[in-house]
């Protein structure tokens, strides 16, 4: 019983709609971004991509690409500073149109013009993890804004992303590709012409991010 209780206590939960409205409030995020731009973009990216925190923190500007005419984020270990959890983590994700409307591509271009290489250049690794400071910050931030359950962490964006796409009827093999899970039925290359990019974009575009003003 003690083991089961421990597992239940440590299990991460998804965010509900009310939670998302609180942690994805643009006024609050812009206030936080006065100190670090990543405080604005990381929660939005986590919600819109379902990517792991470290995957987002270690992005380089050249990981923002255009594929088949679609702006995308490349999750890869092209640079020596980047690490993947496993081989299936290597993937390409279409960028949600709402992020583009909010100015994400403009932010990327501004970072490029500054001659920085990493997308969030002011992040510093601690314990070999660039996500250490963002994880600690997000814990304080979501608590401050009324999301107090300790099982709701930054990783909850990933759980929520998966739950929402499953509820929307997204095919399991496509969902696994989006979040970087192993799928034995996938026999085509990650960057080949057979990437189901249109289906991926449709799935992501159909996701209501529940961003508030």
């Amino acid at each position: 019983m003690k083991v089961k209780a421990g597992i239940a206590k440590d299990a991460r939960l998804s965010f509900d709609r009310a939670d998302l409205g609180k942690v994805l409030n643009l006024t609050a995020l812009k206030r936080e971004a006065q100190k670090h731009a990543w405080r604005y973009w990381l929660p939005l990216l986590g919600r819109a991509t379902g990517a792991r925190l470290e995957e987002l923190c270690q992005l380089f500007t050249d990981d923002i690409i255009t594929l088949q005419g679609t702006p995308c984020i490349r999750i890869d270990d092209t640079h020596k500073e980047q690490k993947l959890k496993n081989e299936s983590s290597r993937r390409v994700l279409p960028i949600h149109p709402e992020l583009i409307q909010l100015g994400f591509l403009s932010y990327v271009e501004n970072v490029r013009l500054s001659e920085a290489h990493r997308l969030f250049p002011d992040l510093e690794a601690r314990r070999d993890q660039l996500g250490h400071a963002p994880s600690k910050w997000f814990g304080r931030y979501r608590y401050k804004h009324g999301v107090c359950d300790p099982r709701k962490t930054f990783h909850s964006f990933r759980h929520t992303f998966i739950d929402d796409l499953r509820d929307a009827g997204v095919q399991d093999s496509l969902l696994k590709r989006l979040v970087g899970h192993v799928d034995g039925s996938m026999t085509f290359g990650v960057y080949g012409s057979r990437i189901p990019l249109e289906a991926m974009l449709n799935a992501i575009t159909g996701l209501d991010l529940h961003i508030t003003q």
Side-chain angles (χ1 to χ4, degrees), residues 106-170:
S106 297
Y107 167 77
V108 174
E109 185 59 26
N110 286 336
V111 176
R112 286 177 175 149
L113 290 174
S114 74
E115 299 185 354
H117 299 293
R118 287 197 291 108
L119 189 59
F120 303 112
D122 54 345
L123 280 178
E124 297 181 1
R126 183 175 178 185
R127 301 174 185 172
D128 202 32
Q129 296 288 315
L130 286 168
H132 181 82
S135 178
K136 294 293 185 183
W137 163 78
F138 186 77
R140 298 189 300 270
Y141 169 78
R142 53 97 180 159
Y143 190 89
K144 176 182 177 181
H145 291 279
V147 182
C148 303
D149 191 320
R151 295 170 296 176
K152 293 183 177 181
T153 67
F154 191 96
H155 202 73
S156 295
F157 285 123
R158 184 169 172 83
H159 287 284
T160 309
F161 182 86
I162 293 170
D163 288 346
D164 285 353
L165 292 186
R166 280 180 176 157
D167 289 346
V170 173

Side-chain angles (χ1 to χ4, degrees), residues 13 17 24 46 53 63 67 79 119 131 153-154 167 175 195:
L13 300 179
R17 292 186 179 185
L24 297 181
L53 178 58
D63 290 317
L67 189 63
H79 300 276
L119 189 59
T153 67
F154 191 96
D167 289 346
L175 178 52
I195 292 179

Side-chain angles (χ1 to χ4, degrees), residues 5 27 39 69 82 123 168 190 197 209:
T27 300
R39 292 185 175 185
Q82 296 173 315
L123 280 178
V190 173
L197 195 60
L209 302 185

Side-chain angles (χ1 to χ4, degrees), residues 39-51:
R39 292 185 175 185
Y40 182 82
W41 290 114
L42 284 177
L44 294 171
L45 286 166
R47 170 56 178 152
T49 67

